[in-house]
Amino acid sequence: MTLWGATITGSVVDKETGEAIAGCSVYLEGTEFGTSTASNGYYRLDRMPRGNYNLVFSMISYKEIKRRVALENEASVLYENARLERAPIQMPAVEVSSRRIEFEQEVTASSFRIDKEALKHIPVMVERDLFRTLMTLPGVTFVSDFTSALYVRGGSPDQNLVLLDNMVLYNPFHFGGFLSTFMIDAVESVEFLTGGFPVRYGNRLSAVLDVESVDPEPLGGYLSTSLLATEGAVWGRLGKFGGIVTARRTYFDKVIPIFLDFDFPYYFYDIHGKGSWRVTPKTRIEGTFFNTKDKLDLADQNIPIGAGWENRLITLRLIQELGDPWVFKSWIGWSGYMAHMQFSDILSDTNRIDDLSLRSMLVRAGETSTFEAGSEVSYTRFIYKTDAEPFATYNIEGRPLYSSLYLSWRYKPLPVFLFQAGGRLSFYYGSYPDTLRDSLTGDVLGVDTLIRRDLQPELRLSAKYFLTADDAFNLSVGNFYQNLAMIMPQGGRIPTNFWIPVFGKYEPQQAIHIIAGYEHLFADGSRARIEPYYKHYPYLLVFNEELDIADATGNIFSPGAGRAWGADFSIEKASGNLTGWVSYSLAFSRFISDTLEFYTNFDRRHNLNVLGTYDLGKNWRVNAHFTFASGMPYAGTLGRYRMWYWDPVRQEWRYQWMTIEADRNSLRFPAYHRLDIGASKAWEFRWGTLTVRADIINLYNHKNVMLYYYDLSNEPPVQRSVNMIPLFPSVGVEVRF
């Protein structure tokens, strides 16, 4: 197949409004050649061989257009514009060509766009969940079934940037980690970047999850219920206005006491709403409201533990087309996070974040060159307070300011070469009046102002070289800064979610990414990829597990360095009755302190996921998900010995047991593996669709170990394990209208 040929280019707009249509599929019927329109409605097909073809314009909610085109010689340029009329169309062609545009125009290979249909057909334990799907991708691992926190290419969960409509979410999880805070039907698009992300994203070291709320459709809705939760939504559009509201509420507190002799006073709820106003064909205003809340109180069970946390987000976005090919976007919003943990009257932890942010972006999308410039200003009110009676009380409170400017340029000078360069310059200012007092006497032990001023230059470079129309090599390098850290014990199997921006002696965390890769795109949109990577961390902060509470501000974190390296492989089947993917990761992750170097507690050497969904016809689907992961490291006891000593009081020799501890994280848990299966059946009626699904989690009931402990009631003590999720059946019913 030749790399050189004719070119077809043009634009696609809405016939009624004249507004540019982004994401429209443009392809030559019966061939593998296709693309999708950019944000300004333009498209370009290069390297077309001579011949006569049907040129197809295909887009959801629009009538398909076919045109006969003749390419007379390999040096010709043909201009074809299209005006589409609204009407529903079929989906498969859109998926194929959207993969083609992603392959041809995206430089960073470490990018995954998650199909909403795939999210709906993976076996589930409680509800469909975005984060559980992300865990099946290459480069991503987890520490237990009881948290859906993502560990990406050797990075900890606090190194991941989670955005909803371009606003930061600080804790996108619910208690136990079974579910994230995102409801699938409230989501329009998901982009997950596992490394080398472009300069529009900052203040994180490892990965980016960029979630866009769904664009409201004509009147409709659904109601879904399972063993432990009920979820529903209603949406509609009237003229230039549209809106959607999605809500979910669990009833753990109502259902668990029916099956177990134990009250479990825990519940959470999620509300996610979006409204849009098409002011003119070139002006659109959108608003998002998001609120989640978890509450747990075990006091009535004589367990002195209470906890709760809440996410709240409000954002307003303006999208303005300034005239071909310029587009301006601007966001203003507030993201709030509140977390509280209480243990009897002994310990109380409180974390509060109020983040007010303003972001803007100016994009010029051309056929061969795209320019992007943007800015970000974030003003944060931050509180972390601990009351540890009768030892000490301290309050780290501040109002850090983070601002940045960035420039990015994507250039395709030749059909076989794609290049992207970007620079980001950020400024961080943190001032923290810190007060530490004795909780018994009330005496002030220390008052000071912990100030940081940091200028943070970042450079990102990426390139793609096309060996053929379907094969390409990728290379990406860049440096990254992060100005906050999470209190998360290295040995903890369930991460906490208390955040502290850097202050005083603690410097911003840093990372350098080097990523290579090869990818092949099949004619049906399926894809195979392999990516080796290396990440160097010149400066990291980890929670100090030997924290002296009387000097918390001085030793709450342990500074160090780190490195992570490995390779990710994936192959996906995107069409036919059988769809799914296989992913495999080989990974290493190490932390370097002043005195030693050791594997992190989330260092998992091998991680394999196999997922498949088979369409049996007549609205029957079956699916399966198999996971295998090698054991993760932990620090533990190797044995014990008797240490004899002379007791001068009793005038005899006595002994006490002394333990022999292994080197830090030198032991490994057994390998983790699990098979989940599911099936669903849908019935279509004039009023809508009824779907029933059943799933079995951990089909063969494998006992995956979460942690070990010693039973001291035996002599010698016996090592016992706490296991993760056993065999668990689940059923659910959904009604759509």
Side-chain angles (χ1 to χ4, degrees):
M1 183 179 297
T2 180
L3 288 177
W4 310 99
T7 296
I8 306 175
T9 186
S11 64
V12 181
V13 300
D14 186 295
K15 184 176 181 180
E16 180 181 352
T17 66
E19 183 178 358
I21 300 176
C24 175
S25 300
V26 185
Y27 61 95
L28 298 182
E29 189 176 42
T31 76
E32 61 185 33
F33 299 104
T35 186
S36 293
T37 54
S39 59
N40 59 2
Y42 279 86
Y43 73 93
R44 184 182 180 92
L45 292 168
D46 291 311
R47 306 187 299 276
M48 303 294 104
R50 286 180 294 179
N52 297 320
Y53 304 96
N54 286 327
L55 179 64
V56 182
F57 299 88
S58 182
M59 181 66 182
I60 300 174
S61 300
Y62 288 91
K63 290 183 179 179
E64 185 178 272
I65 293 179
K66 289 185 181 181
R67 290 182 184 166
R68 194 67 176 171
V69 296
L71 304 179
E72 298 179 353
N73 61 74
E74 294 183 352
S76 63
V77 178
L78 186 65
Y79 295 91
E80 289 287 341
N81 299 324
R83 296 171 62 86
L84 301 188
E85 184 178 349
R86 287 192 171 271
I89 63 166
Q90 298 298 316
M91 183 74 180
V94 176
E95 177 63 22
V96 173
S97 57
S98 65
R99 288 293 177 85
R100 174 62 60 178
I101 184 68
E102 180 183 349
F103 177 75
E104 293 184 348
Q105 295 189 8
E106 294 291 334
V107 182
T108 303
S110 303
S111 174
F112 297 89
R113 288 179 172 86
I114 311 300
D115 179 11
K116 184 181 294 188
E117 289 300 311
L119 295 174
K120 293 181 179 180
H121 299 297
I122 291 178
V124 299
M125 184 172 63
V126 179
E127 295 288 321
R128 298 174 313 211
D129 185 62
L130 171 60
F131 276 69
R132 291 291 171 184
T133 304
L134 297 179
M135 286 181 181
T136 68
L137 299 177
V140 183
T141 191
F142 58 97
V143 295
S144 81
D145 289 340
F146 301 109
T147 172
S148 52
L150 306 177
Y151 296 78
V152 182
R153 289 182 172 175
S156 55
D158 61 319
Q159 297 175 11
N160 303 327
L161 177 64
V162 180
L163 297 172
L164 174 61
D165 293 339
N166 215 26
M167 293 298 299
V168 177
L169 278 179
Y170 288 91
N171 180 26
F173 311 107
H174 290 298
F175 177 77
F178 296 117
L179 294 173
S180 68
T181 55
F182 297 113
M183 291 168 283
I184 300 304
D185 282 272
V187 172
E188 175 72 24
S189 64
V190 177
E191 184 172 16
F192 186 50
L193 303 165
T194 58
F197 40 89
V199 291
R200 75 170 66 96
Y201 303 111
N203 206 12
R204 292 297 189 278
L205 299 184
S206 282
V208 174
L209 178 64
D210 195 348
V211 179
E212 289 283 341
S213 299
V214 70
D215 191 31
E217 299 178 351
L219 185 64
Y222 74 92
L223 181 66
S224 174
T225 185
S226 67
L227 287 177
L228 297 176
T230 295
E231 176 183 320
V234 61
W235 56 78
R237 178 172 291 280
L238 180 62
K240 297 181 178 181
F241 298 91
I244 178 173
V245 176
T246 307
R248 173 171 60 187
R249 210 275 195 188
T250 62
Y251 27 87
F252 298 91
D253 51 335
K254 307 298 182 184
V255 174
I256 289 181
I258 298 175
F259 299 97
L260 301 173
D261 186 19
F262 178 75
D263 289 331
F264 188 56
Y266 166 70
Y267 70 90
F268 69 76
Y269 68 78
D270 301 310
I271 301 174
H272 187 171
K274 178 182 176 180
S276 67
W277 176 27
R278 296 180 180 271
V279 184
T280 71
K282 293 187 176 183
T283 305
R284 187 162 75 250
I285 297 175
E286 298 176 342
T288 301
F289 171 77
F290 186 78
N291 185 206
T292 71
K293 185 174 183 178
D294 290 64
K295 186 175 181 180
L296 171 68
D297 187 357
L298 295 173
D300 291 339
Q301 295 295 311
N302 297 318
I303 302 175
I305 297 176
W309 53 93
E310 183 175 9
N311 291 283
R312 290 170 292 172
L313 182 148
I314 299 173
T315 183
L316 192 66
R317 176 171 67 171
L318 169 67
I319 303 175
Q320 178 66 56
E321 295 185 29
L322 302 176
D324 185 31
W326 295 92
V327 177
F328 175 75
K329 300 179 181 180
S330 181
W331 297 260
I332 184 171
W334 168 76
S335 178
Y337 174 59
M338 171 71 81
H340 177 72
M341 183 179 69
Q342 180 79 37
F343 183 76
S344 187
D345 296 327
I346 299 173
L347 175 65
S348 175
D349 274 355
T350 301
N351 190 199
R352 178 170 179 173
I353 301 174
D354 291 286
D355 184 344
L356 180 62
S357 297
L358 175 64
R359 294 176 172 88
S360 61
M361 176 193 303
L362 181 65
V363 181
R364 184 192 185 279
E367 296 177 2
T368 60
S369 177
T370 296
F371 170 82
E372 181 179 325
S375 64
E376 176 183 348
V377 177
S378 178
Y379 175 75
T380 306
R381 177 175 178 244
F382 167 83
I383 298 173
Y384 178 68
K385 183 178 181 180
T386 292
D387 189 351
E389 300 287 356
F391 303 104
T393 297
Y394 60 91
N395 182 11
I396 305 173
E397 181 175 352
R399 289 169 173 77
L401 176 67
Y402 175 77
S403 59
S404 63
L405 297 171
Y406 73 85
L407 294 173
S408 178
W409 179 48
R410 183 185 62 82
Y411 184 50
K412 193 173 185 180
L414 298 171
V416 295
F417 185 69
L418 185 61
F419 173 79
Q420 182 167 306
R424 183 182 182 97
L425 183 63
S426 302
F427 176 73
Y428 174 79
Y429 175 80
S431 176
Y432 296 81
D434 172 61
T435 301
L436 182 66
R437 65 176 175 84
D438 189 298
S439 59
L440 294 179
T441 66
D443 294 338
V444 175
L445 303 178
V447 179
D448 54 13
T449 299
L450 306 173
I451 296 178
R452 283 215 65 89
R453 296 182 182 90
D454 293 288
L455 195 63
Q456 302 165 357
E458 298 173 69
L459 180 65
R460 320 272 174 84
L461 300 172
S462 300
K464 174 179 279 190
Y465 179 77
F466 296 90
L467 295 172
T468 70
D470 302 314
D471 299 270
F473 282 115
N474 299 275
L475 180 65
S476 179
V477 296
N479 72 305
F480 306 81
Y481 284 88
Q482 180 168 321
N483 299 293
L484 69 169
M486 185 186 290
I487 297 179
M488 184 173 63
Q490 277 283 304
R493 305 291 282 166
I494 302 178
T496 55
N497 291 283
F498 295 106
W499 292 88
I500 299 181
V502 295
F503 63 93
K505 71 175 185 179
Y506 301 116
E507 300 176 13
Q509 302 185 88
Q510 300 179 49
I512 299 172
H513 294 192
I514 303 174
I515 305 168
Y518 163 78
E519 58 183 318
H520 174 80
L521 187 68
F522 297 93
D524 66 346
S526 301
R527 180 163 50 189
R529 298 198 280 195
I530 183 169
E531 287 187 13
Y533 65 88
Y534 180 81
K535 295 166 67 173
H536 173 58
Y537 295 94
Y539 188 80
L540 279 178
L541 295 173
V542 297
F543 176 64
N544 181 10
E545 297 182 57
E546 299 177 355
L547 170 67
D548 178 4
I549 199 167
D551 184 25
T553 58
N555 64 5
I556 194 168
F557 292 116
S558 296
R563 55 194 179 106
W565 67 98
D568 298 332
F569 169 81
S570 65
I571 184 167
E572 178 186 8
K573 188 175 186 299
S575 65
N577 289 338
L578 177 64
T579 58
W581 64 84
V582 177
S583 69
Y584 168 75
S585 297
L586 173 67
F588 301 80
S589 176
R590 292 177 69 84
F591 181 77
I592 306 168
S593 69
D594 292 335
T595 58
L596 73 159
E597 179 176 351
F598 54 89
Y599 288 111
T600 63
N601 74 297
F602 45 87
D603 173 77
R604 196 188 286 280
R605 191 71 63 246
H606 306 283
N607 203 59
L608 171 70
N609 283 277
V610 182
L611 297 92
T613 298
Y614 192 83
D615 189 344
L616 297 172
K618 297 183 179 180
N619 292 326
W620 273 101
R621 290 178 183 265
V622 293
N623 45 68
H625 172 206
F626 175 73
T627 300
F628 174 87
S630 56
M632 306 188 87
Y634 70 97
T637 301
L638 296 176
R640 63 176 183 165
Y641 63 92
R642 291 174 178 174
M643 187 181 74
W644 292 89
Y645 64 94
W646 175 255
D647 186 343
V649 177
R650 298 185 181 183
Q651 292 293 303
E652 64 181 11
W653 287 95
R654 299 179 62 83
Y655 69 87
Q656 66 180 24
W657 288 108
M658 304 296 291
T659 59
I660 303 173
E661 301 295 333
D663 292 338
R664 186 165 185 175
N665 288 350
S666 61
L667 303 179
R668 294 269 173 175
F669 289 105
Y672 175 105
H673 52 91
R674 195 178 93 184
L675 175 63
D676 305 336
I677 62 171
S680 66
K681 166 66 175 176
W683 290 269
E684 296 181 358
F685 303 94
R686 287 187 299 177
W687 50 263
T689 303
L690 170 66
T691 303
V692 177
R693 66 173 297 134
D695 301 282
I696 301 177
I697 306 302
N698 197 358
L699 178 66
Y700 51 87
N701 198 29
H702 179 66
K703 292 178 172 55
N704 293 302
V705 178
M706 186 175 77
L707 56 86
Y708 290 119
Y709 70 96
Y710 280 93
D711 183 355
L712 300 179
S713 64
N714 292 277
E715 183 57 43
V718 177
Q719 185 186 65
R720 304 193 187 279
S721 64
V722 175
N723 299 321
M724 301 187 213
I725 296 172
L727 184 148
F728 187 95
S730 177
V731 295
V733 178
E734 179 183 88
V735 176
R736 288 184 177 267
F737 52 89

